């Protein structure tokens, strides 16, 4: 018996009918593994049965109908031959200088580059000062940082949703829920006019992700321009853009408390270890990001461009026994090959009994966060991503505020 489990979530936007070639249209894709292994479910679908998921997959929007979040999207800018596409939706960009900027480190207490940069800047904030603003350093999870643990009770970077932020506080609340509310008061409130203008959140990964720029989605024009600026200023780093938010999903990361923000994800670096090269790289990237905000504040305009990014499509768990224990590990031919194309038929796992498990998807995908240590508890061996290319509109210069006439 084999299980066929969806690898692509319903939340991936479907191009408008006639906007792109048929090859651009998203479709369910499956992996087949023996039933004694854990199902490979798309992110956010792990609590649904296979029958329920198949029903959800059949509920596609008729006739290419667009969801409310896609209204106002520009035409599809899919270049011929590109692996996938999305249309850009020009969400409102800042029309005033960004004055309230925060740099958060230690959201996960054992990701040491951000922990020690935040601690350093709390004592000596000179690196964070620019002519038009001074960024505020924040040690996001001080208790976890003191204990050198990812978190105390629950993942802080999954806790900035309205459910946690607005529920009445109780003495029994997990530490990270209480801390999320404190950060929401300090840097937010989320989705309010009083929120910080921008948050730059600092992370490390044990996976071979290199320099990864994490944004919520492709519609965020300002964030895409910042990522592009980081790429242009650091061509030797091969900075890749990863879009983590699925359509219709509330953003849950710490930078979502602000009006805008991105995350920096640097690796590989073991948990609880501080590497000088990655520490220095992160410090440089923060400086370049703040320089970009300063250029924007000073009235610089930024031209339109095309960008490649990787959008989350699902997650793959390890092969497991009937009791839920690991039955194998990431295959040597897949290990450390984050962002590289994975072709159908390529090995993805090596069973403890010696057999190889092959990728049986219908098309090429790009695995990321391969064998990430923090994701073992989440039942994730790697995240599936689709590579896409899209156009980002120009970021206009700020309109000077007229001087009042006496």
């Amino acid at each position: 018996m084999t299980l066929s489990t969806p690898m692509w979530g319903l939340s991936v936007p479907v191009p408008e009918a006639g906007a792109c070639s048929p090859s651009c249209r998203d479709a369910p894709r499956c992996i087949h593994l023996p039933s004694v292994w854990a199902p490979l479910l798309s992110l956010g679908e792990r609590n649904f049965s296979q029958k329920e998921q198949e029903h959800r997959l059949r509920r596609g929007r008729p006739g290419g109908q667009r969801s409310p979040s896609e209204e106002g999207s520009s035409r599809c800018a899919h270049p011929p031959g590109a692996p996938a596409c999305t249309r850009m939706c020009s969400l409102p960009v800042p029309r005033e200088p960004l004055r309230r900027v925060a740099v958060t480190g230690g959201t996960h207490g054992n990701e040491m580059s951000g922990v020690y940069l935040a601690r350093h800047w709390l004592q000596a904030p000179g690196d964070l000062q620019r002519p038009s603003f001074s960024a505020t350093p924040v040690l996001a999870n001080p208790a976890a940082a003191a204990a050198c643990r990812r978190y105390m009770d629950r993942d802080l970077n999954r806790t900035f949703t309205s459910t946690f932020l607005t529920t009445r506080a109780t003495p029994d609340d997990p530490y990270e829920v209480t801390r999320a509310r404190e950060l929401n008061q300090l840097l937010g409130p989320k989705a309010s006019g009083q929120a910080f203008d921008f948050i730059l959140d600092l992370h490390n990964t044990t996976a071979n992700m290199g320099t990864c720029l994490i944004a919520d989605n492709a519609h965020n024009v300002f964030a895409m321009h910042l990522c592009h600026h980081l790429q242009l200023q650091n061509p030797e780093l091969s900075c890749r853009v990863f879009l983590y938010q699925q359509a219709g999903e509330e953003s849950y990361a710490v930078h979502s408390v602000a009006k805008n923000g991105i995350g920096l994800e640097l690796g590989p670096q073991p948990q609880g270890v501080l590497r000088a090269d990655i520490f220095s790289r992160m410090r440089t990237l923060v400086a370049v990001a703040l320089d970009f905000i300063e250029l924007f504040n000073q009235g610089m305009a930024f031209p339109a461009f095309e960008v490649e990014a990787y959008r989350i499509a699902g997650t793959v768990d390890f092969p497991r026994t009937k009791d839920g224990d690991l039955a194998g590990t990431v295959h040597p031919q897949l290990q450390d090959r984050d962002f590289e194309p994975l072709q159908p038929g390529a090995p993805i796992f090596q069973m403890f009994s010696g057999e190889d498990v092959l990728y049986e998807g219908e098309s090429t995908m790009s695995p990321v966060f391969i064998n990430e240590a923090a994701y073992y508890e989440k039942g994730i061996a790697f995240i599936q991503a689709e590579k896409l290319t899209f156009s980002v509109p120009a970021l206009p210069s700020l309109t000077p505020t007229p001087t009042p006439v006496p």
Side-chain angles (χ1 to χ4, degrees):
M1 175 181 177
T2 61
L3 290 178
S4 176
T5 17
M7 302 302 296
W8 297 74
L10 271 178
S11 55
V12 176
V14 178
E16 198 169 6
C20 298
S21 65
S23 61
C24 294
R25 193 170 298 277
D26 299 301
R29 302 169 192 186
C30 302
I31 271 184
H32 304 274
L33 291 178
S35 58
V36 297
W37 300 342
L40 312 182
L41 306 183
S42 63
L43 190 64
E45 301 290 335
R46 302 183 65 84
N47 295 325
F48 294 92
S49 67
Q50 180 183 351
K51 182 176 180 180
E52 288 171 320
Q53 291 187 62
E54 291 171 349
H55 172 70
R56 288 156 68 94
L57 285 166
R58 290 194 296 266
R59 276 188 344 202
R61 294 193 289 271
Q65 179 182 352
R66 295 158 71 181
S67 69
S69 64
E70 295 173 310
E71 290 302 325
S73 299
S74 65
R75 67 178 179 85
C76 179
H78 173 49
C85 73
T86 184
R87 71 177 67 77
M88 276 303 304
C89 175
S90 298
L91 295 183
V93 298
R95 300 310 308 147
E96 296 180 354
L98 280 64
R99 307 293 190 193
R100 305 176 70 212
V101 177
V103 180
T104 54
T107 301
H108 295 133
N110 56 4
E111 297 176 5
M112 306 307 281
S113 298
V115 168
Y116 278 99
L117 280 171
R119 286 174 172 168
H120 170 72
W121 287 328
L122 284 168
Q123 300 298 320
D127 289 352
L128 306 183
Q129 296 174 358
R130 296 296 182 275
S132 66
F133 70 96
S134 293
T136 302
V138 178
L139 184 60
N141 196 334
C148 197
R149 295 168 51 178
R150 181 174 174 86
Y151 56 79
M152 303 304 292
D153 296 321
R154 60 166 286 117
D155 194 331
L156 179 62
N157 214 33
R158 306 293 187 274
T159 309
F160 293 90
T161 62
S162 56
T163 299
F164 290 114
L165 298 179
T166 62
T167 302
R168 183 184 297 274
T170 71
D172 297 327
D173 286 337
Y175 169 78
E176 276 77 15
V177 172
T178 300
R179 183 58 180 161
R181 292 172 183 150
E182 293 172 352
L183 291 171
N184 188 49
Q185 289 301 311
L186 174 67
L187 305 173
K190 184 176 181 178
S192 75
Q194 293 74 43
F196 264 54
D197 297 313
F198 197 89
I199 291 177
L200 187 62
D201 192 31
L202 310 181
H203 289 269
N204 293 122
T205 172
T206 64
N208 191 31
M209 296 285 285
T211 300
C212 183
L213 314 175
I214 299 183
D216 45 8
N217 57 65
H219 309 317
N220 190 331
V221 175
F222 187 86
M224 291 300 99
H225 273 275
L226 172 54
C227 291
H228 185 57
H229 184 77
L230 289 169
Q231 292 173 329
L232 293 176
Q233 297 300 312
N234 301 275
E236 75 284 357
L237 295 181
S238 299
C239 303
R240 296 180 175 93
V241 177
F242 178 64
L243 308 174
Y244 76 91
Q245 186 180 20
Q246 295 182 318
E249 177 185 50
E250 181 183 3
S251 184
Y252 48 74
V254 62
H255 66 252
S256 69
V257 169
K259 298 172 185 174
N260 216 319
I262 66 168
L264 299 182
E265 188 86 50
L266 272 59
Q269 177 171 282
Q271 297 175 344
V273 172
L274 184 63
R275 287 183 48 151
D277 56 342
I278 293 181
F279 179 89
S280 298
R281 190 198 318 168
M282 183 173 284
R283 190 173 192 171
T284 297
L285 289 167
V286 170
V288 174
L290 298 183
D291 289 344
F292 172 83
I293 295 175
E294 177 62 26
L295 290 173
F296 176 78
N297 286 353
Q298 296 297 338
M300 179 175 286
F302 298 88
F305 61 94
E306 288 207 344
V307 64
E308 289 184 346
Y310 297 81
R311 179 173 58 189
I312 186 170
T315 66
V316 178
D317 195 359
F318 292 93
R320 296 183 183 272
T321 68
K322 293 181 179 180
D323 296 328
D325 295 329
L326 293 185
T329 186
V330 170
H331 197 279
Q333 294 183 30
L334 179 61
Q335 182 66 51
D336 297 329
R337 297 185 63 183
D338 299 77
F339 295 107
E340 295 185 22
L342 182 66
Q343 306 286 346
I348 54 176
F349 296 114
Q350 190 172 79
M351 301 298 294
F352 296 151
S353 54
E355 300 93 343
D356 289 345
V357 178
L358 307 182
Y359 170 53
E360 297 183 6
E362 296 177 359
S363 63
T364 301
M365 63 90 171
S366 299
V368 297
F369 288 101
I370 299 172
N371 214 7
E372 162 62 46
Y375 289 173
Y376 273 67
E377 67 177 24
K378 301 178 187 296
I380 297 174
F382 59 87
I383 291 176
Q384 287 184 302
E386 59 171 340
K387 188 177 181 179
L388 54 128
T389 303
F390 54 89
S391 296
V392 178
L395 183 62
S397 61
L398 293 174
T399 303
T401 303
T403 303
V405 179

